């Protein structure tokens, strides 16, 4: 009998989260507060432009005060620092998002550290990362936070499970592994983190009850790398050339979806899986920041 895995729809989870956010936004409105999110985009990276447009559209839909500052690629580091400082001082801005990657002449880390941690809705500031590791309340990086929400929504337990994270980026791999070991609901997992210097990665990935692929390599995880019945979370959003399509490319994950489909118990699609959740959590962090501003 062919296996038919549960398809973990980020769209469904995102819709549920936005419904909850709308109630909280209404309460804020009663107190005269409108969540304010300002995104800063430097240069013309096509993927970044798509992401920022999507963030803008969705935050407007929820009734945010949403501003996108589109700056020329030649903007200097000093100019960008001054802009971030002005946003830090602006009480109508609850969330500041500087889209990464920045042009090569700007130090990403310096800019991230200039953002007021109270407005760090991306969860990239060292204070936010430190709070996450310590299990303190703070802003959690949006993609890992979104993955926890997918697991929660579909009632997939993590306690006592072996979670294998593929990839050690600051944005996904490191925070994800740290979230999964926390002593709380949607934590309590045994975590292995593998990366480019791990010999024979498959030895580890084949042991995963929950496999989280954030390698940034298209269709890297094949059927030979997953255990039968595993839950697979695919973080990758890769553009690969496809001459048969008008736009000339298609989006694919870090997992070879078709190849593993018959083997797994649950899987996130690309698109429509984790990617959708990243924006939902950004909106959620911004509402949280607006609520914090009342305290
Ligand atoms: N570039 C890719 N993903 C992200 C993200 O979540 N936030 C920011 N600021 N830049 C990104």
């Amino acid at each position: 009998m062919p296996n038919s895995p549960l398809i973990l729809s980020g769209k469904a989870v995102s819709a549920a989260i936005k419904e909850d956010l709308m109630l909280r936004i209404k309460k804020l409105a009663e107190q005269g507060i409108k969540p304010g999110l300002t995104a800063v985009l430097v240069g013309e990276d096509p993927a970044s432009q798509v992401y920022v447009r999507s963030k803008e559209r969705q935050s407007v839909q929820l009734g945010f005060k949403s501003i996108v500052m589109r700056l020329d690629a030649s903007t200097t580091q000093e100019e960008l620092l001054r802009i971030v400082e002005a946003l830090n001082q602006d009480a109508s801005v609850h969330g500041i998002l500087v889209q990464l990657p920045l042009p090569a002449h700007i130090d990403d880390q310096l800019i991230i550290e200039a953002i007021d941690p109270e407005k760090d809705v991306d969860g990239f500031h060292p204070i936010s990362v430190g709070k996450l590791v310590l299990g303190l309340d703070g802003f959690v990086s949006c993609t890992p936070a979104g993955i926890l929400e997918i697991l929660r929504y579909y009632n997939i337990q993590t306690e006592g499970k072996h979670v294998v994270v593929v990839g050690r980026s600051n944005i996904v791999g490191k925070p994800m592994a740290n979230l999964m070991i926390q002593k709380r609901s949607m934590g309590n997992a045994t975590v292995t983190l593998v990366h480019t210097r791990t010999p024979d990665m498959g030895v580890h990935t084949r042991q995963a009850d929950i496999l989280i692929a954030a390698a940034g390599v298209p269709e890297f995880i094949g059927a030979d790398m997953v255990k039968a019945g595993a839950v697979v979370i695919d973080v990758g959003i890769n553009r690969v050339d496809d001459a048969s399509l008008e736009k000339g490319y298609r989006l694919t994950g870090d997992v070879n979806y078709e190849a593993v489909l018959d083997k797994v118990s649950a899987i996130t699609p690309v698109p429509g899986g984790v990617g959708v959740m990243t924006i939902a959590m950004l909106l959620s962090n911004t509402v949280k920041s607006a609520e914090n501003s009342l305290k």
Side-chain angles (χ1 to χ4, degrees):
M1 199 177 72
N3 178 33
S4 79
L6 179 62
I7 306 302
L8 307 171
S9 164
K11 283 185 196 157
V13 188
S14 162
I17 285 185
K18 285 190 194 170
E19 229 170 87
D20 173 61
L21 287 179
M22 281 188 317
L23 300 176
R24 289 162 62 188
I25 291 165
K26 213 169 142 206
K27 282 206 189 109
L28 284 166
E30 286 161 11
Q31 310 211 50
I33 301 265
K34 190 179 217 186
L37 175 65
T38 297
V40 182
L41 175 60
V42 186
E44 320 232 303
D45 180 67
S48 290
Q49 286 181 338
V50 172
Y51 290 141
V52 168
R53 259 201 303 276
S54 195
K55 287 165 185 172
E56 183 180 24
R57 185 174 49 80
Q58 294 190 44
S59 55
V60 167
Q61 272 171 2
L62 280 186
F64 281 28
K65 181 185 171 202
S66 174
I67 293 174
V68 178
M69 302 180 72
R70 292 184 168 81
L71 307 178
D72 196 85
S74 66
T75 302
T76 67
Q77 182 166 284
E78 300 319 311
E79 284 167 337
L80 186 54
L81 281 172
R82 275 199 293 278
I83 286 166
V84 168
E85 195 44 47
L87 295 172
N88 285 344
Q89 300 301 329
D90 184 341
S92 73
V93 175
H94 303 103
I96 302 170
L97 178 147
V98 178
Q99 187 67 27
L100 303 178
L102 289 166
H105 65 275
I106 301 179
D107 178 352
D108 290 10
Q109 196 59 30
L110 193 80
I111 301 300
I112 288 170
E113 292 185 25
I115 295 172
D116 180 347
E118 301 287 332
K119 301 187 179 189
D120 175 36
V121 288
D122 257 328
F124 293 168
H125 193 286
I127 298 240
S128 304
V129 179
K131 286 185 170 175
L132 180 154
V133 172
L134 295 171
L136 303 174
D137 184 45
F139 294 115
V140 176
S141 182
C142 299
T143 301
I147 291 170
L148 289 195
E149 291 304 323
I150 290 176
L151 296 173
R152 198 192 314 275
Y153 182 90
Y154 286 100
N155 205 15
I156 296 167
Q157 301 303 318
T158 56
E159 179 160 336
K161 299 284 176 62
H162 189 177
V163 174
V164 178
V165 178
V166 183
R168 54 178 157 183
S169 69
N170 290 342
I171 297 184
V172 185
K174 285 181 197 167
M176 190 76 247
N178 277 287
L179 282 170
M180 284 290 179
I181 59 170
Q182 295 297 324
K183 209 172 197 173
R184 64 174 173 230
S185 151
M186 306 318 294
N188 288 316
T190 303
V191 174
T192 301
L193 191 151
V194 299
H195 48 75
T196 43
R197 300 293 173 93
T198 304
D200 201 354
M201 216 180 263
V203 166
H204 305 282
T205 60
R206 279 189 291 277
Q207 292 179 41
D209 300 312
I210 300 174
L211 180 62
I212 302 177
V217 182
E219 297 173 7
F220 175 63
I221 306 285
D224 58 330
M225 289 179 79
V226 302
K227 178 167 84 171
V231 172
V232 175
I233 305 291
D234 190 351
V235 182
I237 304 176
N238 307 291
R239 280 188 188 198
V240 295
D241 294 341
D242 189 334
S244 73
L245 298 175
E246 202 179 315
K247 57 187 175 185
Y249 70 90
R250 65 188 167 88
L251 290 181
T252 188
D254 287 357
V255 177
N256 188 335
Y257 186 85
E258 297 301 329
V260 307
L261 203 56
D262 280 347
K263 202 170 176 185
V264 302
S265 65
I267 186 166
T268 59
V270 177
V274 173
V276 187
M277 290 306 299
T278 301
I279 297 184
M281 299 320 289
L282 173 74
L283 302 172
S284 172
N285 279 346
T286 307
V287 169
K288 175 175 166 165
S289 177
E291 288 167 347
N292 288 347
S293 75
L294 286 169
K295 287 180 189 160

